[in-house]
């Protein structure tokens, strides 16, 4: 009995809603999906996929649109490239190409015919997820848990552990300045016990003066499958889109939903400056690039008169 319950709670499936239009990165996103923009040498989607696999997920569900062949191509086997690398004896590069998806992990693609919102995109994954708790990751939120070069557990791993132990849905949150509440879903909570607090209300993109708190929802969720029924009953909300926040508001009236202040740094790679910051930080931390990156940045800042080179 204990085993059956434990098995039921294990988070095995991760949903990646990648069917948005990515208008903030036009014209690049006219042909390159936002999730394929690179941070140093790996696309954003790879960082999110690695985080899901580390958390124990073995089924990755990509919700794409009909223009996003690049995401499916990226996770497909690249026979010709692999053959060429093998013949050229480029073992290291071959390993990189093959490890895009490790053995035992499967990728499933579902199409969102129309960009009707994040909630609608998650609902499109219902036939694959079925009746079990699952994760949602928004790849443009890149979360990095490193301190002084040492990696700690990823945000989703931290959340999956909590969800599996408590049986609750868990939502990643972060404190933001009050003037920024209009860019996020904002959660009101009971008092926090360590990093977690039960959510009592959620509001999508409130004006600073209307926000119930400054605790913002960021792009990692572990959700009960009940969310699918609630999404089906959700009518278009803010911006005419079917909002995941609205369905979570309904969920928390029925089941416990925890806000979780994850350990790690989040880069909002859905914005220009977030993508630039993530690139700089990853370059500075990169084994082979950090010295050159530091030197380049110092020189650039010196030449622009921002820092004194002497
Ligand atoms: P965003 O709000 O960042 O929208 O979506 P966007 O289209 O990706 O980017 P901008 O704002 O136009 O630049 C949040 C997440 O929800 C997905 C997006 O792909 C992104 O991962 N999404 C959004 C969908 O999959 N379908 C939708 O209909 C809307």
């Amino acid at each position: 009995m204990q085993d059956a319950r434990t098995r039921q709670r294990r988070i095995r499936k991760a949903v990646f809603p990648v069917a948005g239009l990515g208008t903030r990165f036009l014209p690049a996103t006219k042909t390159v999906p936002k999730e394929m923009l690179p941070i140093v040498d790996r696309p954003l989607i790879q960082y999110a996929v690695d985080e899901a696999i580390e958390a124990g997920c073995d089924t990755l569900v990509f919700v794409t649109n009909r223009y996003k062949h690049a995401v499916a191509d990226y996770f497909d086997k690249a026979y010709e490239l692999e053959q060429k690398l093998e013949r050229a004896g480029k073992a290291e590069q071959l390993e990189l190409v093959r490890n895009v998806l490790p053995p035992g992990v499967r990728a499933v693609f579902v199409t969102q015919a129309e960009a009707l919102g994040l909630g609608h995109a998650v609902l499109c994954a219902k036939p694959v997820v079925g009746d079990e708790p699952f994760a949602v990751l928004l790849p443009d939120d890149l979360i990095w848990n490193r301190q002084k070069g040492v990696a700690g557990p990823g945000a989703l791993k931290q959340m999956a552990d909590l969800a599996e132990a408590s049986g609750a849905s868990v939502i990643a949150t972060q404190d933001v300045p009050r003037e920024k509440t209009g860019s996020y879903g904002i959660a009101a909570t009971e008092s926090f016990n360590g990093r977690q607090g039960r959510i009592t209300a959620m509001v999508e993109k409130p004006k600073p003066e209307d926000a119930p708190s400054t605790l913002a929802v960021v792009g990692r969720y572990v959700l009960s499958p009940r969310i699918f029924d609630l999404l089906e009953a959700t009518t278009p909300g803010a911006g005419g889109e079917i909002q995941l926040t609205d369905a979570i508001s309904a969920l928390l009236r029925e089941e416990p939903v925890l806000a979780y202040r994850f350990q790690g740094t989040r880069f909002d790679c859905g914005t220009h400056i977030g993508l630039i910051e993530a690139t700089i930080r990853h370059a500075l931390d990169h084994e082979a690039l950090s010295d050159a990156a530091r030197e380049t940045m110092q020189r650039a800042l010196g030449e622009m008169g921002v820092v004194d080179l002497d």
Side-chain angles (χ1 to χ4, degrees), residues 39-244:
I39 301 293
V40 184
D41 47 10
R42 287 150 23 106
L44 280 171
I45 190 86
Q46 182 76 62
Y47 292 91
V49 158
D50 289 351
E51 191 183 322
I53 293 170
E54 184 223 359
C57 297
D58 58 13
T59 302
L60 313 180
V61 189
F62 299 93
V63 182
T64 66
N65 65 36
R66 62 184 155 283
Y67 308 108
K68 292 211 174 171
H69 302 291
V71 178
D73 290 348
Y74 179 76
F75 289 106
D76 207 354
K77 200 168 163 61
Y79 287 103
E80 217 180 304
L81 177 62
E82 287 188 22
Q83 265 177 10
K84 278 193 178 149
L85 291 172
E86 206 161 4
R87 273 196 219 119
K90 299 197 165 174
E92 209 176 305
Q93 285 91 337
L94 185 62
E95 189 75 359
L96 284 175
V97 172
R98 282 189 175 150
N99 275 351
V100 159
L101 269 193
V105 175
R106 65 182 181 144
V108 181
F109 293 86
V110 297
T111 303
Q112 184 189 26
E114 234 184 303
L116 296 178
L118 173 60
H120 180 259
V122 171
L123 184 55
C124 291
K126 180 182 175 182
V128 184
V129 173
D131 192 26
E132 58 182 281
F134 65 102
V136 176
L137 297 96
L138 306 188
D140 51 1
D141 268 337
L142 198 163
I143 302 181
W144 205 37
N145 188 16
R146 290 177 80 86
Q147 262 159 20
K148 297 194 176 103
V150 180
L156 190 68
K157 167 81 176 121
Q158 300 167 42
M159 294 166 66
D161 286 349
L162 175 59
E164 286 166 15
S166 65
S169 296
V170 179
I171 311 235
T173 57
Q174 182 182 37
D175 297 286
V176 296
R178 186 160 277 276
E179 64 272 18
K180 296 262 173 73
T181 59
S183 305
Y184 294 91
I186 298 291
T189 61
E190 290 174 356
S191 59
F192 263 64
N193 171 14
R195 293 187 170 273
Q196 74 205 54
R198 188 166 169 161
I199 302 182
T200 52
M202 298 254 292
V203 196
E204 183 63 20
K205 302 191 169 78
K207 288 190 197 133
E209 59 273 27
D210 300 332
S213 78
T214 52
L215 196 61
V217 170
V218 304
R220 300 290 182 276
Y221 310 76
V222 176
L223 295 171
S224 144
R226 174 76 182 131
I227 199 77
F228 291 128
D229 304 325
L230 299 168
L231 279 167
E232 271 162 349
T234 302
T235 46
E241 296 193 332
I242 295 180
Q243 298 287 351
L244 184 58

